[in-house]
Amino acid sequence: MYRVKPIVYVLLLFIALSYPAKAQFFYIDKINCKLSSDDEALLNRMGKFEAQFYNQVFSTQKNDSVNIVIELYGKHGEYKQVQKDQLNTTFIDGFYSPMQNRIFLYKSDHYMETLFHETSHNLLHYNYPNAPKWLNEGIATLLGYLVETTNNQVRYVPQSDYVRQVRDSIRNRKFELEQFFNYKNSDWFVEAKRPMLYATSYCLIYFLINQDKDQLGPILVLMKQEYSSSNAIKKTFGSFENFNSKFLYFYTVGAGTAL
């Protein structure tokens, strides 16, 4: 069993028990593949959960009726060609296109995790079109590992590999959190940089929602008001130094060491 601080449990329990009567609609174009009724039902339940997550952090209800369009490919070659045409790359099994406002996905063995991840990108773009890459990928990685318990609650599975990667970097004195926010979007497509960028983004989001009070929402409000990531963090935590020290403590001494 994963150890999660009470605030996260309350957040997830609230969302799990508070599905709206109307949630976003999924329009799935199945190209050379099929989607089981069980998977489609699970997708709708997880989609409701993600909509409520974004409703809560953005203090809105508009995510209850978002339309999400998905192109689901059964043949890898067909999907790779679509990805190559749009992204000029073929290293991922799914992506969300803001320009077309749709998700493109290969039906791999783990396609549901990828679909939860890309649904998060779709919803965040609906709430905050110009969100920085770290925020976009951090939340999507968190929500990409949702699971449903036997008593119909939705939980996320903490990603210990990402946490271990960041913790090792901290202990080796190679971790520079302030420098992290200076990375460009193009850096995320560099194979040597990508693992640490995803790990740090995930750990930032996990840290923010595990504080004594939720710190993700206030930071998002400021960032939507054109604050930079660093300045939004400074305003929320009093100083970047305070934020940095709390982050390092969380993963080397505090609750994050349980992962």
Side-chain angles (χ1 to χ4, degrees), residues 183-242:
Y183 280 106
K184 300 176 182 178
N185 285 352
S186 58
D187 290 317
W188 293 75
F189 289 91
V190 178
E191 187 174 358
K193 297 178 180 180
R194 194 163 59 241
M196 193 62 187
L197 290 176
Y198 273 93
T200 303
S201 295
Y202 170 81
C203 287
L204 280 166
I205 298 301
Y206 188 84
F207 164 74
L208 289 171
I209 65 172
N210 272 279
Q211 298 306 289
D212 292 335
K213 60 178 180 178
D214 173 41
Q215 300 286 15
L216 179 58
I219 288 174
L220 286 176
V221 169
L222 292 169
M223 290 171 65
K224 286 191 70 176
Q225 296 173 359
E226 304 300 325
Y227 279 73
S228 67
S229 298
S230 295
N231 286 337
I233 287 169
K234 288 177 185 177
K235 190 171 180 64
T236 302
F237 282 82
S239 69
F240 195 89
E241 290 72 21
N242 184 43

Side-chain angles (χ1 to χ4, degrees), residues 81-140:
Q81 187 59 52
V82 170
Q83 186 187 116
K84 184 177 181 181
D85 291 343
Q86 296 206 31
L87 300 181
N88 197 31
T89 186
T90 57
F91 72 89
I92 51 178
D93 282 344
F95 65 96
Y96 167 67
S97 169
M99 293 291 292
Q100 298 191 47
N101 192 30
R102 65 177 55 209
I103 294 168
F104 298 87
L105 189 77
Y106 169 58
K107 194 173 183 288
S108 68
D109 292 340
H110 305 287
Y111 80 99
M112 291 296 282
E113 291 178 359
T114 307
L115 188 47
F116 301 156
H117 182 108
E118 301 307 328
T119 298
S120 174
H121 288 320
N122 199 151
L123 287 168
L124 181 58
H125 185 263
Y126 183 69
N127 291 272
Y128 183 9
N130 299 313
K133 191 74 171 176
W134 74 266
L135 182 71
N136 208 337
E137 295 299 343
I139 298 178

